[in-house]
Amino acid sequence: MLSFAVQAHADEDLGAQVEKIFTTHCYRCHGQNGTSQGGFGNVLKLHELAGSKKIVPKDPHKSQIFKRMSPDLIGDMPEDGETTPTADELATVKRWIEAGAPLPLNKVLEPNRPFYSLGDEVKAIDEFLTNKIDRRQWNQYRFFSLRSLHNAPRDKVRDEDLVLYQAALAKLLNSLSWNKDIIEPQKVDAAGIILAVNIRELDWQRQSNNLWEEILRKYPYGLSHARYPEDPAINNHWISITEKTGSEIPILRTDWFIAVAARPPLYHTLAQIPEHLDELLKKIPTSTGSLNLNQNIIDGKVARSGFNGSGVSERNNRLIERHDTNYGAFWISYDFKVSAGKGNLFVSPLGPKFEGNPHNQHAFEHDGGEIIFNLPNGMQAYMLVDQKGNRIDEGPIAIVSDGNEKRSGTPAIVNGISCIACHRDGMIRKSDQILTGHHLGGTARDRIKEIYPTAAIMDKLFDKDAERFQDAATKSIKPFLLTGDNARKTIKDFAEPVSPIAKWYIVPELTLNDVARELGIEDTAKLKGIILGNEELQRHGLYPLTQGNTIKREVWESQDFIRSAFQRCAQKLGLGEPKASF
């Protein structure tokens, strides 16, 4: 058995330094919520890393983690490219291994957090509404819960992770709002296990279309507690909350919401992304009216950059085009299945072809595109379209793809989640190759000079747009991430929070303990007995849990005859009455 010596010198706690390095660069893929890609396990369990080839104390060059991090060895991690360890950080990891991989000073495995029950939740929300919110605004408030995550073991969901969930929720909510101000979810309790949001501030509460009700149509965890569990305190608080808010289900799971609202179809619904590009343009104001892409091209009021390949379109040409709006910027890409013929931007750089384009003879013919535009609050929203401008959920893999599935959990570029991950800092700077690489002359050459600016001009536009977005994103996450020791950091110092959390929610398989925690109970033996004694629950795929096996998230959420497996299980346990999708 390998021993882990406590570092002798208090002024250089190598274990603590390495824990921070692994948190920054590794943990989002190797440990969060039990997720582990590549078989590394939870990299923050430093006490478990040695004893295998993951970390070989005293020998960095035999330690798999160090070799994968080091560019002088394998150097393929982190594969998502969001953060890259510095030379100093790698030197620290090396010294840590050479010192025998010591634990952080005085490191102990902390006990689990105090159990937070349904009763705690509904009481806190009821008191929050009564004591902190004007009764005239009660019906505007909805709530997001981290209860099941708070109740998880600390080695599975750390305290720092709960803060990341809070920040991810804040960022996503502001990415789904067409109001001009950044909103801050309010902590209902001191720890922020429950967060409150005024949905009117998100423009979600309208007479014609209440978007909260649209969310509930997708929600597989809806339960009413007006009668069950048979606890008058819980029942009374629940009835009070539903009457004050006017909603049958005023509380959502935060992790579910982040995972589902960042993807179609709910992303399109909440971000109010219409079915066609033309409809979106009508929603985007400019100094002269609604945004008109073709007229801007004719008038030379665009800034373009064309190039061979990009992060999502490595095989073919791509062109990105910027338009000014009252909200900031509107970017559209033109993507191609092939780079020859009318897909060759160096031969046909003056598309797209449309009536009134004076250079249709030199117009490219594209196969689809991505739209990135500023919302009124400065955040970014996204849309994927085909060659006719019709909205699509995913980009065709023949045109764009995510080779290592780092963004959406699939090889496809999925609108919303993939774009949020890729554009974590705003627009991605790309150098134009058309201005100096085309062969056209005459008026075509003059038009190219007009709409394909120099690198210096484009860089200023990239910087301007990045600053606008980063300012808005920083305001979103600041109350949660940029506090205490992190107060002087910037958003760039953190991994993008929405996309990994959405992926963590979907990927892991659920154990009996996980299912019990999500139901809000501590007695796994009772849960196992309920499943074994109920053929209906077994038919819904829960039997493997009783045999020490796991189930997929989609099994737990699957709805057969309206109710999900979760809802049926909760009902059998007397935890609540299922509320069907509307």
Side-chain angles (χ1 to χ4, degrees), residues 391-402:
R391 187 190 71 198
I392 55 177
D393 292 348
E394 300 179 356
I397 292 180
I399 302 175
V400 291
S401 64
D402 182 1

Side-chain angles (χ1 to χ4, degrees), residues 451-499:
I451 65 176
Y452 287 86
T454 63
I457 293 175
M458 284 299 289
D459 284 346
K460 288 182 179 180
L461 293 174
F462 281 123
D463 290 341
K464 178 182 178 181
D465 294 346
E467 182 178 358
R468 180 189 303 106
F469 169 73
Q470 289 168 22
D471 284 348
T474 297
K475 290 178 183 177
S476 295
I477 70 166
K478 184 175 182 178
F480 305 103
L481 283 185
L482 303 181
T483 61
D485 293 340
N486 295 326
R488 294 188 176 183
K489 293 184 178 180
T490 70
I491 192 171
K492 290 186 175 182
D493 293 316
F494 298 90
E496 195 288 311
V498 174
S499 53

Side-chain angles (χ1 to χ4, degrees), residues 123-426:
K123 179 182 178 182
I125 292 174
D126 199 12
E127 291 179 348
F128 171 83
L129 287 168
T130 300
N131 299 327
K132 295 186 178 182
I133 304 300
D134 187 315
R135 64 185 302 115
R136 291 170 296 183
Q137 295 183 333
W138 283 349
N139 68 343
Q140 300 171 23
Y141 274 82
R142 300 294 185 269
F143 302 89
F144 294 88
S145 173
L146 287 165
R147 179 161 58 95
S148 64
L149 295 164
H150 169 88
N151 290 338
R154 268 196 170 97
D155 62 352
K156 190 166 187 178
V157 180
R158 302 180 306 151
D159 293 344
E160 297 92 325
D161 297 330
L162 296 177
V163 175
L164 194 66
Y165 277 93
Q166 294 167 346
L169 176 66
K171 181 182 177 183
L172 181 59
L173 287 173
N174 282 293
S175 299
L176 299 171
S177 170
W178 280 75
N179 273 359
K180 65 178 183 178
D181 297 320
I182 293 293
I183 67 104
E184 177 186 336
Q186 301 174 56
K187 292 182 178 181
V188 170
D189 56 285
I193 299 170
I194 311 298
L195 296 172
V197 173
N198 185 327
I199 59 174
R200 180 165 293 175
E201 293 178 353
L202 293 169
D203 193 30
W204 284 9
Q205 191 179 48
R206 288 172 261 139
Q207 291 183 352
S208 60
N209 185 18
N210 187 322
L211 294 183
W212 185 262
E213 300 302 318
E214 293 295 323
I215 298 171
L216 294 183
R217 295 179 190 276
K218 309 293 181 184
Y219 192 50
Y221 298 102
L223 295 175
S224 169
H225 304 291
R227 292 192 299 164
Y228 301 101
E230 296 178 346
D231 182 332
I234 293 177
N235 305 151
N236 290 339
H237 281 305
W238 178 261
I239 292 171
S240 176
I241 293 169
T242 57
E243 288 179 348
K244 288 173 179 175
T245 61
S247 174
E248 291 187 295
I249 305 292
I251 311 167
L252 293 178
R253 283 180 50 165
T254 301
D255 52 350
W256 173 87
F257 176 78
I258 293 172
V260 177
R263 301 169 180 267
L266 199 53
Y267 174 77
H268 291 153
T269 299
L270 298 181
Q272 302 175 51
I273 306 298
E275 295 184 355
H276 196 276
L277 175 58
D278 289 345
E279 297 174 52
L280 176 62
L281 297 178
K282 294 175 183 177
K283 293 167 61 74
I284 308 295
T286 72
S287 60
T288 58
S290 298
L291 182 58
N292 188 322
L293 302 186
N294 291 348
Q295 190 61 51
N296 280 358
I297 292 172
I298 292 172
D299 295 340
K301 295 181 179 180
V302 298
R304 287 181 166 183
S305 180
F307 40 87
N308 281 315
S310 70
V312 297
S313 182
E314 297 179 354
R315 292 174 294 180
N316 301 315
N317 294 328
R318 195 175 215 209
L319 186 151
I320 57 177
E321 176 181 276
R322 184 187 184 278
H323 300 254
D324 275 316
T325 78
N326 290 356
Y327 300 150
F330 184 101
W331 289 84
I332 182 170
S333 73
Y334 299 94
D335 296 313
F336 305 87
K337 289 181 180 178
V338 296
S339 296
K342 288 298 183 178
N344 188 339
L345 287 175
F346 297 90
V347 176
S348 303
L350 295 177
K353 185 177 292 187
F354 60 86
E355 185 177 352
N357 183 349
H359 298 284
N360 274 334
Q361 69 273 31
H362 300 302
F364 56 75
E365 295 179 8
H366 62 291
D367 297 290
E370 175 188 9
I371 291 95
I372 303 174
F373 63 97
N374 287 117
L375 292 163
N377 61 12
M379 297 296 286
Q380 291 180 168
Y382 309 93
M383 182 180 190
L384 300 179
V385 295
D386 62 18
Q387 68 271 29
K388 295 182 179 180
N390 297 306
R391 187 190 71 198
I392 55 177
D393 292 348
E394 300 179 356
I397 292 180
I399 302 175
V400 291
S401 64
D402 182 1
N404 57 14
E405 305 183 13
K406 66 191 178 195
R407 301 178 178 94
S408 64
T410 76
I413 298 299
V414 179
N415 194 37
I417 186 65
S418 298
C419 308
I420 290 170
C422 188
H423 295 276
R424 51 160 289 178
D425 297 323

Side-chain angles (χ1 to χ4, degrees), residues 10-78:
D11 61 342
E12 188 180 34
D13 187 350
L14 286 172
Q17 292 180 45
V18 167
E19 188 174 60
K20 289 183 179 179
I21 293 169
F22 285 177
T23 297
T24 300
H25 302 293
C26 312
Y27 183 62
R28 61 184 174 273
C29 293
H30 303 291
Q32 166 63 37
N33 269 355
T35 302
S36 178
Q37 300 176 14
F40 280 109
N42 187 333
V43 294
L44 296 188
K45 292 184 178 180
L46 302 185
H47 60 291
E48 295 182 359
L49 289 180
S52 68
K53 293 183 179 180
K54 299 168 189 173
I55 293 295
V56 180
K58 307 288 187 180
D59 196 338
H61 289 82
K62 289 184 179 179
S63 301
Q64 289 182 352
I65 290 179
F66 179 74
K67 290 194 295 183
R68 300 289 294 272
M69 293 177 70
S70 176
D72 295 333
L73 299 172
I74 298 175
D76 61 348
M77 291 290 175

Side-chain angles (χ1 to χ4, degrees), residues 59-123:
D59 196 338
H61 289 82
K62 289 184 179 179
S63 301
Q64 289 182 352
I65 290 179
F66 179 74
K67 290 194 295 183
R68 300 289 294 272
M69 293 177 70
S70 176
D72 295 333
L73 299 172
I74 298 175
D76 61 348
M77 291 290 175
E79 69 174 12
D80 61 13
E82 287 195 5
T83 58
T84 301
T86 66
D88 287 344
E89 288 175 326
L90 290 171
T92 298
V93 174
K94 186 171 185 281
R95 284 190 291 113
W96 172 68
I97 297 172
E98 290 173 339
L103 287 177
L105 289 173
N106 302 319
K107 181 71 175 180
V108 295
L109 294 179
E110 298 172 327
N112 291 339
R113 290 173 286 266
F115 187 77
Y116 197 83
S117 68
L118 171 64
D120 296 328
E121 180 175 274
V122 295
K123 179 182 178 182

